[in-house]
Amino acid sequence: MVSVSDAQAIILNLVQPLDCQRDTEVVDLLAADSRILAMPVTSPLDFPHWDNSAMDGYAVRYEDVQHSSAEQPAVLEIVEDIPAGYQPKSRIQSGEAARIFTGAVIPAGADTIVIQEKTRREENRVFILAAPQPQEFVRHKASFYQAGTQLLPAGIKLNASEIAVLAAAQCPQLNVYRRPRVAIFSTGDELVTVDQPLQPGQIVDSNQYAMAALVKESGAEPILLGIVKDDPVALERVIAHAVAIADIVLSSGGVSVGDYDYVDKIIESLKAEIHIRSVEMRPGKPLTVATFPSRDAINRVSPHSALYFGLPGNPAAVLVTFWRFVLPAIKKLSGITEGCEPVFLKVRSHDELRSDGKRETYLWGKLHLINGVYEFHKAGGSHSSGNLINLAQTNALAVLPVGKTLISPQEEVQVLQLSNG
């Protein structure tokens, strides 16, 4: 049994990111939201494109207004109005000014903007009531970004702010990584689908639905392979198919030590190397992590070796182990270069939190902002690995390390922040 931190290190070390030459596709900018940029982006445009005004006011020569005051204002002749989108026609000479608006091109000869609040206009003359700073409110060409340099690096997730930058830079198409393919199946004779009537001893396979939703949230493509009975032949067939078509394989159940838990034996028979068999955590102790040999690209499958996660069967344990281990692996595989590791916060606990201290323990709940400070509120009810009900609407997992048996109310606790909630 390995520690949680060692398990994370082993898993992330096993993940080989998608290849920036082979595993990419070109998408239109409107389809690029939440995709991972595969190639650095440059632009032929400077930002700003030209010297422009940051405020509404008057474009002037600093030397004409440097001694202005309310008592002795400089008086300038207005020779032109310059709205945004207009190309100035005049060159500002000594004793002249141009009315200018935010974002408009600064005319030749002018080097400073006096905001309109510090002026008084009378017909075609403007009185400067306070001296500005040299080059005040002038946004200089290329001061934000210089054409030809790197605008955005590879390996970042494209969100709204990045999409806006790319649109302004006139990048209509982008080279992004393909979505990782994640095969999902559940094991167990007791499982039925959501639309089947329950018989005594049967339970609905919620794990496959949860994993599919989590995979979609991560930006990957789920491939649903259904329920597989506790039959070694059927399991071997599905596992062999899964590793042939996917980058990551997720199964739930069948990785404990019961008479019908066949997964570890089957993946070993398929030449997989098992790196983890159990983790020192609750819930989620029975966790198998394995890699399969690289596959032949000629057979229309990825040359990557498939990464296999045999997750526990209990639904709460499935979610916790996904958030703790699978999600970081998907992020790294997808091409993200930074921020793959789970995000932990130190917050105040609203409730008493208990553990037996023997394993790193995860308790689910919700973060609330109380007077500007985050508090963790533990979900009510049982925190059994088989209790799925009180996981709904949670957005954080409180972490009690090995040896820690009690966290009192208002005491600080480390929490794993989740993407949902």
Side-chain angles (χ1 to χ4, degrees):
M1 187 161 55
V2 301
S3 69
V4 173
S5 59
D6 285 348
Q8 176 182 301
I10 291 168
I11 290 166
L12 289 180
N13 188 56
L14 291 172
V15 177
Q16 296 299 314
L18 296 175
D19 187 271
C20 64
Q21 300 297 326
R22 182 182 60 242
D23 296 314
T24 62
E25 58 187 4
V26 176
V27 298
D28 292 338
L29 183 58
L30 284 174
D33 181 49
S34 299
R35 301 300 296 271
I36 310 302
L37 192 61
M39 301 291 288
V41 175
T42 61
S43 174
L45 301 175
D46 290 315
F47 287 86
H49 308 320
W50 47 74
D51 290 356
N52 71 88
S53 177
M55 300 289 284
D56 292 346
Y58 293 87
V60 302
R61 300 180 346 139
Y62 175 71
E63 62 185 81
D64 288 343
V65 299
Q66 59 183 316
H67 301 302
S68 294
S69 66
E71 293 77 22
Q72 292 185 312
V75 182
L76 306 174
E77 181 186 0
I78 301 169
V79 297
E80 189 172 18
D81 279 8
I82 308 174
Y86 173 81
Q87 181 61 41
K89 303 295 190 297
S90 304
R91 182 180 184 88
I92 303 303
Q93 307 291 339
S94 178
E96 296 179 343
R99 178 74 167 112
I100 196 166
F101 297 87
T102 302
V105 177
I106 293 176
D111 58 16
T112 299
I113 302 299
V114 180
I115 61 174
Q116 63 186 25
E117 291 86 351
K118 294 183 179 180
T119 66
R120 184 179 78 252
R121 181 170 180 169
E122 294 181 4
E123 297 180 348
N124 69 331
R125 295 187 304 166
V126 61
F127 293 74
I128 308 301
L129 305 178
Q133 295 297 313
Q135 302 186 53
E136 191 169 19
F137 299 118
V138 174
R139 295 188 290 216
H140 291 284
K141 178 181 179 180
S143 59
F144 301 164
Y145 168 80
Q146 186 174 1
T149 60
Q150 181 172 282
L151 181 65
L152 292 177
I156 63 170
K157 186 176 181 179
L158 298 174
N159 295 314
S161 55
E162 290 79 20
I163 297 294
V165 168
L166 292 164
Q170 293 189 316
C171 299
Q173 293 187 316
L174 300 167
N175 198 297
V176 299
Y177 287 105
R178 66 170 174 83
R179 297 185 188 278
R181 294 183 290 267
V182 181
I184 301 169
F185 65 93
S186 301
T187 69
D189 291 340
E190 73 280 15
L191 299 178
V192 296
T193 61
V194 69
D195 56 349
Q196 288 180 267
L198 284 177
Q199 301 299 322
Q202 293 182 331
I203 58 174
V204 176
D205 173 25
S206 62
N207 289 343
Q208 191 161 188
Y209 291 91
M211 289 190 288
L214 289 167
V215 167
K216 286 181 181 179
E217 286 178 11
S218 75
E221 175 190 351
I223 303 171
L224 302 182
L225 301 181
I227 298 170
V228 184
K229 298 300 182 182
D230 289 322
D231 171 57
V233 175
L235 275 170
E236 181 175 346
R237 182 170 61 250
V238 171
I239 292 172
H241 174 62
V243 300
I245 62 172
D247 304 293
I248 291 177
V249 179
L250 305 180
S251 68
S252 64
V255 292
S256 192
V257 292
D259 292 342
Y260 297 97
D261 295 321
Y262 302 117
V263 169
D264 283 12
K265 293 178 182 178
I266 290 171
I267 62 176
E268 284 182 316
S269 72
L270 293 172
K271 310 302 181 186
E273 179 180 357
I274 297 180
H275 304 274
I276 298 172
R277 294 181 186 270
S278 62
V279 180
E280 195 176 10
M281 67 185 294
R282 175 179 286 128
K285 176 185 173 183
L287 174 69
T288 296
V289 179
T291 49
F292 284 78
S294 297
R295 293 153 286 160
D296 186 357
I298 296 175
N299 293 330
R300 300 176 62 193
V301 293
S302 170
H304 285 284
S305 60
L307 180 60
Y308 189 98
F309 287 91
L311 305 180
N314 283 318
V318 167
L319 289 167
V320 170
T321 50
F322 186 100
W323 284 318
R324 190 62 183 84
F325 300 119
V326 181
L327 182 57
I330 293 175
K331 286 182 177 180
K332 183 177 178 182
L333 175 68
S334 70
I336 293 176
T337 53
E338 294 183 0
C340 296
E341 295 83 3
V343 176
F344 290 94
L345 304 174
K346 286 187 177 180
V347 305
R348 191 169 59 199
S349 179
H350 176 268
D351 305 296
E352 180 178 277
L353 308 177
R354 286 189 174 273
S355 162
D356 64 9
K358 295 178 182 178
R359 287 180 268 158
E360 188 166 298
T361 300
Y362 292 76
L363 302 172
W364 41 96
K366 194 159 189 173
L367 288 175
H368 291 275
L369 193 60
I370 310 295
N371 297 324
V373 177
Y374 275 111
E375 275 191 357
F376 175 78
H377 290 235
K378 186 179 73 168
S382 167
H383 281 245
S384 162
S385 61
N387 183 13
L388 182 63
I389 302 303
N390 64 349
L391 267 161
Q393 297 184 293
T394 57
N395 63 7
L397 298 172
V399 184
L400 279 69
V402 175
K404 185 75 171 179
T405 59
L406 174 65
I407 291 178
S408 301
Q410 304 307 306
E411 188 179 344
E412 193 175 72
V413 62
Q414 190 175 57
V415 301
L416 172 60
Q417 190 174 20
L418 308 177
S419 58
N420 63 315

